[in-house]
């Protein structure tokens, strides 16, 4: 069945600003067949919506397997106590875990999300992902707590998880490092070697908390006590004298798409180092998770000035109140209102699709794509407002 759809304004993401008086023509699967002037059509043949149409949203960073931990870890405690809470409270029955994953996926679908970059340490999400409700890039995440001697064992453990996943059509997978502070040089090398194939995205948590930079700059800070609590020694660790991002860049492959996540403390110099290192770098911001854990946000002007390719993630329900890209955009604009809706839409759609390598079908309203369509009730000035909601049209 052919549908003709229009609205007051449409973000196609092929222009810098939304367009008006435009008709989107789709087939029964939501594939876009044509984009034409409204004047060329009988108004009676067109479904007309009040509001703003956008492509489906792309959530570039989530931990679906932690969905059962909603509300279990306190807010505002900073990253290291938060991680401790995740490690010590994560255990649950499979029935509880699976029920929470199913609910989280439904929530994302209802919130107009069409694709997810999802971190997996286990196979808990794989059965639901096989149903293909969303398009997934699954990142099988590895860490050995900077213990070179444990790298082979930990790699084998997570490699088994990687091979257990058989992505649904259109979805992908990679093995990835957790964070600079948790992956040894040996494990980084093994991950690097496994990601030599083309069209890979590699995700890594980056500069989320001050102790991360302190560890690499000065060889001190709260990570020493954190590791000691779990019986892990950092006696052989040698600080690099540079911020944490430099350690990551030394061990990632510039030929991959590299998705750096959180970047709460990333400076202009850090951004320049990453962009000089590779043109394939993307940055994911998870505003509500940053507030939940560290009660701070990145300075988004720094990223805008650097023309960084920003994307938006939700992180997990352990560190967020909901899984909604719209709510992330509203939070960014609430606290740093100079970030325009036009910019946020780019981050939430096309940039996210490109970061995951999904721009073949998602991220923009173009002929041949099946991006999904969301309807938003923005203010007349195009700003997000407290009661802005998203309605999934296709």
């Amino acid at each position: 069945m052919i549908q003709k759809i229009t609205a007051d304004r449409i973000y196609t993401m092929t222009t810098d600003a939304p367009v008006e008086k435009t008709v989107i023509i789709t087939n029964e699967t939501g594939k876009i067949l044509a984009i034409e002037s409204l004047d060329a059509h009988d108004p009676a043949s067109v479904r007309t919506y009040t509001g703003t149409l956008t492509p489906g949203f792309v959530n570039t960073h989530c931990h679906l397997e932690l969905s059962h931990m909603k509300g279990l870890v306190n807010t505002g405690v900073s990253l290291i106590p938060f991680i401790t809470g995740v490690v010590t409270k994560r255990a649950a029955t499979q029935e509880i875990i699976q029920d929470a994953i199913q609910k989280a996926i439904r929530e994302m679908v209802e919130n107009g999300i069409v694709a997810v970059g999802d971190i997996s340490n286990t196979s808990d999400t794989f059965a639901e992902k096989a149903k293909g409700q969303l398009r997934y890039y699954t990142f099988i995440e590895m860490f050995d707590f900077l213990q070179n001697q444990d790298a082979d064992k930990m790699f084998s453990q997570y490699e088994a998880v990687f091979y257990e996943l058989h992505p649904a059509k259109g979805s992908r997978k990679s093995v990835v490092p957790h964070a600079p502070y948790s992956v040894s040089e040996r494990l980084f090398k093994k991950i690097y070697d496994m990601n030599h194939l083309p069209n890979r995205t590699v995700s890594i948590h980056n500069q989320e908390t001050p102790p991360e930079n302190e560890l690499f700059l000065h060889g001190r800070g709260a990570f020493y006590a954190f590791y000691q609590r779990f019986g892990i020694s950092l006696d052989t660790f040698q600080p690099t004298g540079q911020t944490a991002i430099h350690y990551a860049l030394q061990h990632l492959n510039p030929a991959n798409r590299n998705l750096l996540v959180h970047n709460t403390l990333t400076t202009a110099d850090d951004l320049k180092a990453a962009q000089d290192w590779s043109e394939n770098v993307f940055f994911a911001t998870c505003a509500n998770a940053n507030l939940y854990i560290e009660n701070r946000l990145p300075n988004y002007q720094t990223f805008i000035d650097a023309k960084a390719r920003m994307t938006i993630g939700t992180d997990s329900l352990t560190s967020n109140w909901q899984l909604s890209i719209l709510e992330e955009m509203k939070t960014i604009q609430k606290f740093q209102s100079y970030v325009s809706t036009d910019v946020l839409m780019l981050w939430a759609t096309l940039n996210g699709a490109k970061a995951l390598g999904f721009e073949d079908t998602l991220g923009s309203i173009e002929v041949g794509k099946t991006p999904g369509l969301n309807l938003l009730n923005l203010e007349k000035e195009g700003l997000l407002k407290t009661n802005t909601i998203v309605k999934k049209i296709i």
Side-chain angles (χ1 to χ4, degrees):
M1 174 181 168
I2 303 299
Q3 296 187 81
K4 298 179 181 180
I5 299 169
T6 191
D8 300 321
R9 303 194 311 164
I10 301 173
Y11 276 99
T12 64
M13 308 318 302
T14 60
T15 59
D16 292 336
V19 298
E20 299 177 355
K21 297 183 178 180
T22 299
V23 173
I24 304 166
I25 302 172
T26 73
N27 67 10
E28 65 280 359
T29 68
K31 184 176 181 179
I32 297 172
L33 304 178
I35 301 170
E36 299 175 354
S37 170
L38 179 60
D39 295 336
H41 294 268
D42 177 359
S45 70
V46 181
R47 289 169 56 192
T48 301
Y49 291 94
T50 299
T52 301
L53 286 173
T54 77
F57 297 139
V58 179
N59 179 0
T60 55
H61 184 72
C62 192
H63 297 251
L64 271 173
E65 66 188 16
L66 299 180
S67 298
H68 64 286
M69 295 189 67
K70 184 175 183 178
L72 294 184
V73 183
N74 291 332
T75 64
V77 297
S78 77
L79 182 65
I80 292 176
F82 176 82
I83 295 173
T84 302
V86 173
V87 172
T88 57
K89 298 178 181 181
R90 181 169 181 166
T93 66
Q94 272 299 307
E95 182 179 5
I96 290 173
I97 291 171
Q98 292 303 317
D99 182 63
I101 291 169
Q102 291 166 14
K103 289 178 179 177
I105 292 172
R106 285 199 298 272
E107 180 179 348
M108 285 197 286
V109 171
E110 290 168 1
N111 283 324
I113 292 170
V114 294
V116 185
D118 187 54
I119 302 292
S120 292
N121 306 122
T122 71
S123 60
D124 289 343
T125 61
F126 294 179
E128 288 302 315
K129 287 174 177 174
K131 296 177 182 178
Q133 292 172 275
L134 298 167
R135 193 171 179 185
Y136 295 96
Y137 203 121
T138 300
F139 301 115
I140 308 301
E141 185 181 72
M142 301 187 176
F143 47 86
D144 61 359
F145 302 112
L146 295 173
Q147 306 298 297
N148 276 296
Q149 68 274 15
D150 293 337
D152 292 353
K153 178 182 70 175
M154 300 308 294
F155 182 83
S156 295
Q157 174 182 322
Y158 293 113
E159 184 184 32
V161 177
F162 176 84
Y163 285 117
E164 192 173 340
L165 174 62
H166 302 284
K169 184 179 179 180
S171 291
R172 296 197 180 101
K173 63 179 180 177
S174 296
V175 296
V176 302
H178 168 253
Y181 59 79
S182 60
V183 178
S184 71
E185 291 184 341
R186 182 172 178 81
L187 183 54
F188 257 120
K189 177 64 165 59
K190 296 180 80 67
I191 293 169
Y192 182 105
D193 289 345
M194 196 164 177
N195 286 323
H196 68 281
L197 296 174
N199 206 23
R200 291 286 179 98
T201 298
V202 174
S203 167
I204 184 169
H205 296 78
N206 176 63
Q207 293 177 299
E208 193 174 355
T209 185
E212 184 176 345
N213 280 335
E214 193 174 7
L215 174 70
F216 286 94
L217 283 167
H218 308 296
R220 60 173 184 259
F223 272 112
Y224 280 84
F226 169 74
Y227 281 143
Q228 187 175 28
R229 172 175 179 175
F230 293 99
I232 299 167
S233 171
L234 291 183
D235 289 346
T236 61
F237 173 76
Q238 295 295 320
T240 63
Q242 295 178 296
T243 54
I245 193 173
H246 291 272
Y247 176 75
L249 298 180
Q250 289 167 11
H251 297 93
L252 295 171
N253 185 346
N256 294 141
R257 291 182 299 268
N258 292 280
L259 179 63
L260 279 61
V261 180
H262 293 301
N263 313 294
T264 318
L265 301 170
T266 302
T267 66
D269 287 343
D270 293 329
L271 281 174
K272 185 177 186 305
Q275 292 175 310
D276 287 348
W277 169 76
S278 173
E279 60 183 17
N280 299 317
V281 179
F282 294 82
F283 301 88
T285 186
C286 307
N288 284 314
N290 288 161
L291 293 175
Y292 191 110
I293 299 170
E294 288 269 340
N295 200 27
R296 69 173 79 205
L297 291 173
N299 180 349
Y300 292 112
Q301 189 64 55
T302 303
F303 293 85
I304 293 170
D305 290 344
K307 296 181 173 56
R309 289 191 286 182
M310 293 291 289
T311 72
I312 299 177
T314 61
D315 216 334
S316 74
L317 285 172
T318 320
S319 59
N320 206 333
W321 299 271
Q322 68 279 308
L323 300 180
S324 167
I325 294 300
L326 175 61
E327 291 302 318
E328 299 299 316
M329 291 193 287
K330 287 159 71 172
T331 294
I332 293 170
Q333 202 167 78
K334 175 182 178 180
F335 288 98
Q336 299 185 36
S337 57
Y338 58 83
V339 186
S340 70
T341 303
D342 292 355
V343 167
L344 289 171
M345 287 298 175
L346 177 63
W347 295 2
T349 59
L350 187 57
N351 277 7
K354 288 179 176 179
L356 301 182
F358 291 166
E359 72 271 27
D360 56 336
T361 61
L362 306 178
S364 60
I365 298 173
E366 297 183 74
V367 173
K369 289 192 175 186
T370 312
L373 292 178
N374 293 336
L375 181 69
L376 306 183
N377 57 322
L378 302 177
E379 292 186 353
K380 289 183 180 178
E381 297 80 8
L383 294 174
L384 299 162
K385 51 187 178 180
T386 304
N387 65 342
T388 297
I389 61 171
V390 56
K391 180 179 180 182
K392 184 177 176 63
I393 300 300
I394 294 179

